[in-house]
Amino acid sequence: MTSAASPEVPVLVRHEWCKGCGICIAMCPKKVLEAAPDGKATVARPEDCIKCETCEIMCPDFAIRVVGGRSKGVAEGKGDVAGARA
Amino acid sequence: MAVPVDNYLRNQFMPHMWCPGCGHGIVLGAVLRAIGRLDLPKDEVCIVSGIGCASRAPGYLDFNTVHTTHGRALAFATGIKLARPDLHVIVLTGDGDASAIGGNHLIHAARRNMGITTVMFNNSIYGMTNGQYSPMTPKGRYASTAPYGNVERNFDMCELVKAAGGNYVARATTAHARQLSNYVEHAIQTQGFAFVEAVTQCPTYFGRRNKMGTPVDMIEWFRKNSVNAAAAAKLGPEELDGKIVVGEFYRGDAPEYTQVYEEVIKRAKEAAAR
Ligand SMILES: Cc1ncc(C[n+]2csc(CCOP(=O)(O)OP(=O)(O)O)c2C)c(N)n1
Ligand code: SF4
Ligand code: SF4
Ligand code: SF4
Ligand SMILES: [Mg+2]
């Protein structure tokens, strides 16, 4: 199952690929993501998302997509994860 | 979505076989985003690997892909590049695959300056075979074959490839996934041999043996213990002990092998025509 994407929910989690490692949850600078009871990532506070794409870049399982990510810097490989968290 | 990595995955084989939190997927994502930014046509990319967890990567990728034998990815890649110099040949390899059994191939691919991009997934361990130490395991670290701590010094692979004659050398960790992707992009654009060391976490064997905690803890450890090349230049060996130096270390402009070899083909043809 994949959570629906909409302007209000800009982050998609591909549930069947997610292994519940918690990396996206820890790395999100806005605490948008949470672990569901099964340990997999779920979008808890979509309204806080700044579309920085850190979750997508850091997910080892290709299980997250940020729809309409605004960060050109990320697309160009600029900046680091530490920077995005600051 | 910045770069459509979905385009490059063989979705029918996903989810991949790597453990939860294994850094190999982060490194692979960095490689795919670099290919995406360069907008390389799939048919013009050939991904070659050896054996190991890291070397399983090409199986999930929708390019020309070759999964070869342990340590020999660069030998196969050299043949592919000679037969098809027009291809972007990219080797995805582990630290064991590249620095132990395949060390000689790496040295000579760099010496010949083959037009190949090599990304070494360095998790400091033989992941696939349950955690033996590799030539990249730092001194003092634990492994199934070093239960009292590893006494050997590890290679500095970036220094080695530079000394052997490569044209591009860089290192980053999974805590620097964006820079890592940038470096892979620069590597692919390099004429000649290009080497990127991607320091990555194996939570299952290296992490557990060395009590490094969760995958998140391991990424945080990389971030806290990394020093960029400019800052490292001002530090002494003691201050750098146990640190990971990240950055782009070298860019050379030595001629690429297949271009030099064109001359040999020309001379041979002229001789045959005489
Ligand atoms: C000729 C040969 N020798 C040994 C092996 C056993 N073997 C398989 S993978 C591997 C090491 C892999 O380590 P690395 O390249 O670091 O990859 P990782 O699994 O850590 O990603 C070894 C020794 C083999 N498959 N073939
Ligand atoms: S795009 Fe950035 S803010 Fe939005 S969920 Fe992902 S990491 Fe958090
Ligand atoms: S990083 Fe990926 S695999 Fe890990 S919990 Fe988040 S979505 Fe799932
Ligand atoms: S054993 Fe280690 S390297 Fe292999 S998939 Fe698991 S975490 Fe990754
Ligand atoms: Mg390894």
Side-chain angles (χ1 to χ4, degrees):
Chain A
M1 191 211 83
T2 304
S3 346
S6 68
E8 298 80 45
V9 185
V11 185
L12 290 158
V13 180
R14 199 176 306 199
H15 223 245
E16 66 276 19
W17 289 8
C18 171
K19 293 181 187 148
C21 69
I23 291 176
C24 59
I25 298 167
M27 299 291 155
C28 171
K30 293 291 170 188
K31 310 243 174 299
V32 171
L33 306 162
E34 267 179 18
D38 63 1
K40 297 192 179 191
T42 176
V43 186
R45 281 168 290 276
E47 66 281 4
D48 291 342
C49 176
I50 54 168
K51 301 192 183 184
C52 66
E53 298 178 344
T54 297
C55 53
E56 180 173 329
I57 284 166
M58 293 303 288
C59 173
D61 286 88
F62 302 94
I64 291 206
R65 298 291 177 275
V66 180
V67 181
R70 61 149 205 220
S71 166
K72 209 163 177 292
V74 173
E76 288 166 0
K78 299 278 155 47
D80 66 3
V81 170
R85 298 190 73 198
Chain B
M1 201 185 312
V3 171
V5 290
D6 295 282
N7 244 347
Y8 303 137
L9 293 173
R10 289 175 180 149
N11 287 302
Q12 68 273 32
F13 299 131
M14 296 289 283
H16 57 56
M17 52 76 74
W18 292 323
C19 303
C22 173
H24 286 355
I26 301 176
V27 178
L28 182 59
V31 172
L32 295 183
R33 287 183 185 91
I35 292 173
R37 288 192 300 277
L38 292 169
D39 203 18
L40 305 180
K42 283 193 209 178
D43 287 343
E44 291 172 20
V45 175
C46 184
I47 312 268
V48 188
S49 74
I51 296 291
C53 294
S55 295
R56 291 290 294 267
Y60 303 107
L61 304 181
D62 194 22
F63 302 102
N64 301 293
T65 59
V66 197
H67 187 194
T68 73
T69 57
H70 196 28
R72 314 299 173 212
L74 276 163
F76 284 86
T78 295
I80 292 163
K81 187 71 186 176
L82 275 166
R84 288 285 306 273
D86 57 307
L87 291 180
H88 294 280
V89 180
I90 302 173
V91 167
L92 304 181
T93 177
D95 51 307
D97 201 57
S99 75
I101 189 168
N104 220 20
H105 295 299
L106 179 62
I107 293 168
H108 292 286
R111 178 181 62 81
R112 292 185 178 123
N113 205 24
M114 291 304 308
I116 295 170
T117 295
T118 297
V119 180
M120 183 179 79
F121 294 50
N122 177 18
N123 55 11
S124 306
I125 204 91
Y126 290 178
M128 178 156 274
T129 48
N130 302 9
Q132 296 82 2
Y133 69 84
S134 87
M136 299 304 297
T137 306
K139 199 171 161 184
R141 289 297 194 175
Y142 296 91
S144 67
T145 45
Y148 305 108
N150 177 28
V151 295
E152 301 179 16
R153 295 172 301 170
N154 59 282
F155 273 132
D156 183 332
M157 241 354 167
C158 290
E159 284 293 327
L160 192 146
V161 170
K162 180 184 159 195
N167 260 0
Y168 180 85
V169 178
R171 180 190 293 118
T173 79
T174 49
H176 311 82
R178 292 179 173 96
Q179 283 106 312
L180 179 62
S181 187
N182 245 357
Y183 296 169
V184 174
E185 183 181 336
H186 297 162
I188 294 170
Q189 287 171 311
T190 298
Q191 297 284 318
F193 193 73
F195 180 80
V196 179
E197 177 180 338
V199 178
T200 171
Q201 72 274 9
C202 168
T204 303
Y205 293 109
F206 191 82
R208 207 177 279 167
R209 281 263 169 196
N210 290 283
K211 300 193 167 44
M212 293 185 79
T214 64
V216 171
D217 294 333
M218 293 183 80
I219 294 169
E220 286 297 324
W221 191 92
F222 289 154
R223 190 170 66 78
K224 290 196 188 101
N225 289 282
S226 294
V227 182
N228 74 46
K234 296 184 194 116
L235 298 174
E238 268 133 67
E239 292 161 306
L240 284 174
D241 192 34
K243 298 280 190 250
I244 304 164
V245 183
V246 299
E248 295 181 290
F249 303 119
Y250 182 69
R251 280 171 196 258
D253 57 4
E256 191 270 326
Y257 189 89
T258 60
Q259 288 169 15
V260 176
Y261 205 78
E262 272 298 311
E263 281 301 309
V264 177
I265 294 169
K266 219 174 93 196
R267 286 204 291 275
K269 279 185 178 156
E270 280 164 9
R274 254 184 252 127

